Amino acid sequence: MPSLAIDTPVGRLTLVERDGALARVGWMLAAEGAETPLLAEAARQIAAYFARDLRDFDLPLAPAPTPEAAAARAAMLAIPYGRTATYGECAAAIGSNARAFGQACGANALPIIVPCHRVLPATGFGHYSGGEGARTKGWLLAHEGAALI
Protein backbone atom coordinates (compact mmCIF):
# COMPACT_ATOMS: atom_id res chain seq x y z
CA MET A 1 0.00 0.00 0.00
CA PRO A 2 1.27 3.49 -0.70
CA SER A 3 2.47 5.32 2.40
CA LEU A 4 4.29 8.48 3.37
CA ALA A 5 6.10 9.41 6.58
CA ILE A 6 5.97 13.02 7.73
CA ASP A 7 7.43 14.87 10.70
CA THR A 8 4.98 16.77 12.90
CA PRO A 9 5.10 18.51 16.28
CA VAL A 10 3.67 15.33 17.85
CA GLY A 11 6.17 12.99 16.22
CA ARG A 12 6.72 11.19 12.97
CA LEU A 13 3.45 10.05 11.41
CA THR A 14 2.95 7.58 8.62
CA LEU A 15 0.00 8.06 6.29
CA VAL A 16 -1.31 4.97 4.50
CA GLU A 17 -3.55 4.93 1.45
CA ARG A 18 -5.77 2.05 0.37
CA ASP A 19 -8.05 2.03 -2.67
CA GLY A 20 -7.86 5.79 -3.16
CA ALA A 21 -8.67 6.70 0.45
CA LEU A 22 -6.69 7.49 3.57
CA ALA A 23 -6.74 4.24 5.55
CA ARG A 24 -4.37 4.83 8.45
CA VAL A 25 -2.44 7.51 10.26
CA GLY A 26 -0.05 6.21 12.84
CA TRP A 27 3.04 6.63 14.89
CA MET A 28 5.85 4.13 14.48
CA LEU A 29 4.51 2.64 11.27
CA ALA A 30 6.98 1.84 8.53
CA ALA A 31 6.48 3.83 5.34
CA GLU A 32 6.56 1.60 2.30
CA GLY A 33 5.37 2.10 -1.21
CA ALA A 34 5.25 5.20 -3.32
CA GLU A 35 3.87 8.62 -2.47
CA THR A 36 0.58 9.40 -4.22
CA PRO A 37 -1.32 12.64 -4.88
CA LEU A 38 -3.71 11.75 -2.04
CA LEU A 39 -0.87 11.20 0.43
CA ALA A 40 0.74 14.48 -0.64
CA GLU A 41 -2.57 16.27 -0.07
CA ALA A 42 -3.02 14.59 3.31
CA ALA A 43 0.49 15.71 4.29
CA ARG A 44 -0.32 19.25 3.13
CA GLN A 45 -3.53 19.35 5.16
CA ILE A 46 -1.84 17.96 8.27
CA ALA A 47 0.91 20.60 7.98
CA ALA A 48 -1.80 23.27 7.64
CA TYR A 49 -3.54 21.90 10.74
CA PHE A 50 -0.34 22.17 12.75
CA ALA A 51 0.25 25.68 11.38
CA ARG A 52 -3.29 26.58 12.60
CA ASP A 53 -4.35 27.27 9.01
CA LEU A 54 -6.80 24.34 8.79
CA ARG A 55 -9.51 23.21 11.20
CA ASP A 56 -11.41 20.63 9.15
CA PHE A 57 -9.79 17.99 6.98
CA ASP A 58 -11.19 17.29 3.53
CA LEU A 59 -9.83 13.89 2.55
CA PRO A 60 -11.43 10.66 1.34
CA LEU A 61 -11.35 8.24 4.27
CA ALA A 62 -11.39 4.46 4.04
CA PRO A 63 -14.69 3.04 5.25
CA ALA A 64 -14.89 2.16 8.93
CA PRO A 65 -14.73 -1.60 9.51
CA THR A 66 -18.20 -1.93 11.11
CA PRO A 67 -21.44 0.09 11.28
CA GLU A 68 -20.69 0.79 14.96
CA ALA A 69 -17.22 2.10 14.09
CA ALA A 70 -18.75 4.26 11.35
CA ALA A 71 -21.21 5.76 13.85
CA ALA A 72 -18.42 6.41 16.35
CA ARG A 73 -16.32 8.04 13.61
CA ALA A 74 -19.20 10.31 12.66
CA ALA A 75 -19.66 11.32 16.30
CA MET A 76 -15.95 12.15 16.65
CA LEU A 77 -15.99 14.15 13.41
CA ALA A 78 -18.98 16.13 14.73
CA ILE A 79 -16.92 17.57 17.61
CA PRO A 80 -15.74 21.00 16.42
CA TYR A 81 -12.12 22.11 16.43
CA GLY A 82 -11.24 23.53 19.82
CA ARG A 83 -14.10 21.77 21.62
CA THR A 84 -14.39 18.56 23.59
CA ALA A 85 -17.15 16.09 24.40
CA THR A 86 -17.40 13.24 26.88
CA TYR A 87 -17.43 9.56 26.03
CA GLY A 88 -20.95 9.45 27.47
CA GLU A 89 -22.22 12.35 25.36
CA CYS A 90 -20.82 10.84 22.18
CA ALA A 91 -22.12 7.38 23.06
CA ALA A 92 -25.61 8.70 23.77
CA ALA A 93 -25.64 10.45 20.39
CA ILE A 94 -25.18 7.12 18.61
CA GLY A 95 -27.15 4.86 20.98
CA SER A 96 -24.10 3.23 22.52
CA ASN A 97 -22.42 3.27 25.91
CA ALA A 98 -19.37 5.16 27.14
CA ARG A 99 -17.15 2.08 27.45
CA ALA A 100 -17.86 0.96 23.88
CA PHE A 101 -17.30 4.49 22.62
CA GLY A 102 -13.98 4.62 24.45
CA GLN A 103 -12.95 1.39 22.76
CA ALA A 104 -13.91 2.86 19.38
CA CYS A 105 -11.72 5.88 20.12
CA GLY A 106 -8.82 3.59 21.01
CA ALA A 107 -9.28 1.68 17.75
CA ASN A 108 -9.45 4.84 15.61
CA ALA A 109 -7.13 4.23 12.65
CA LEU A 110 -7.12 7.92 11.66
CA PRO A 111 -6.08 9.93 14.73
CA ILE A 112 -5.85 13.69 14.28
CA ILE A 113 -7.93 13.43 11.08
CA VAL A 114 -10.77 11.77 13.03
CA PRO A 115 -10.32 13.70 16.29
CA CYS A 116 -10.57 11.09 19.03
CA HIS A 117 -8.31 13.39 21.09
CA ARG A 118 -11.36 15.64 21.60
CA VAL A 119 -13.19 12.94 23.58
CA LEU A 120 -12.72 12.98 27.35
CA PRO A 121 -14.11 11.09 30.31
CA ALA A 122 -16.73 12.95 32.37
CA THR A 123 -14.12 13.35 35.10
CA GLY A 124 -10.41 13.61 34.43
CA PHE A 125 -8.38 13.70 31.28
CA GLY A 126 -8.35 10.13 30.07
CA HIS A 127 -5.95 8.21 27.89
CA TYR A 128 -4.78 8.45 24.31
CA SER A 129 -3.55 5.55 22.24
CA GLY A 130 -1.33 7.53 19.88
CA GLY A 131 2.09 9.09 20.11
CA GLU A 132 3.16 9.60 23.70
CA GLY A 133 -0.31 8.93 25.06
CA ALA A 134 -1.83 11.57 27.33
CA ARG A 135 1.02 13.99 26.58
CA THR A 136 0.13 13.91 22.88
CA LYS A 137 -3.59 14.27 23.63
CA GLY A 138 -2.88 17.27 25.85
CA TRP A 139 -0.66 18.84 23.20
CA LEU A 140 -3.35 18.45 20.53
CA LEU A 141 -6.06 19.93 22.76
CA ALA A 142 -3.83 22.85 23.77
CA HIS A 143 -2.92 23.39 20.11
CA GLU A 144 -6.62 23.73 19.31
CA GLY A 145 -7.26 25.93 22.36
CA ALA A 146 -9.77 23.44 23.73
CA ALA A 147 -11.13 23.95 27.22
CA LEU A 148 -11.18 20.74 29.21
CA ILE A 149 -14.56 19.61 30.48
Side-chain angles (χ1 to χ4, degrees), residues 23-112:
R24 187 153 174 78
V25 173
W27 288 265
M28 302 188 353
L29 298 174
E32 31 186 78
E35 180 179 336
T36 67
L38 171 62
L39 292 174
E41 177 60 16
R44 186 197 69 74
Q45 288 189 31
I46 290 170
Y49 166 82
F50 283 116
R52 291 193 172 99
D53 293 331
L54 181 103
R55 292 179 172 220
D56 298 302
F57 293 94
D58 184 19
L59 298 164
L61 305 180
T66 66
E68 294 83 7
R73 178 188 285 179
M76 287 181 250
L77 287 168
I79 304 168
Y81 179 98
R83 305 287 287 281
T84 58
T86 67
Y87 291 105
E89 290 168 338
C90 293
I94 63 169
S96 185
N97 64 66
R99 180 179 303 273
F101 197 86
Q103 291 171 337
C105 286
N108 177 20
L110 297 163
I112 302 171

Side-chain angles (χ1 to χ4, degrees), residues 9-38:
V10 294
R12 189 166 184 81
L13 296 175
T14 300
L15 315 175
V16 180
E17 179 181 338
R18 182 178 60 237
D19 299 329
L22 193 61
R24 187 153 174 78
V25 173
W27 288 265
M28 302 188 353
L29 298 174
E32 31 186 78
E35 180 179 336
T36 67
L38 171 62

Side-chain angles (χ1 to χ4, degrees), residues 86-143:
T86 67
Y87 291 105
E89 290 168 338
C90 293
I94 63 169
S96 185
N97 64 66
R99 180 179 303 273
F101 197 86
Q103 291 171 337
C105 286
N108 177 20
L110 297 163
I112 302 171
I113 308 293
V114 176
C116 54
H117 61 276
R118 297 178 189 156
V119 185
L120 305 173
T123 58
F125 185 71
H127 302 291
Y128 190 65
S129 59
E132 294 181 16
R135 178 183 292 193
T136 299
K137 181 175 188 162
W139 192 98
L140 291 167
L141 291 172
H143 172 73

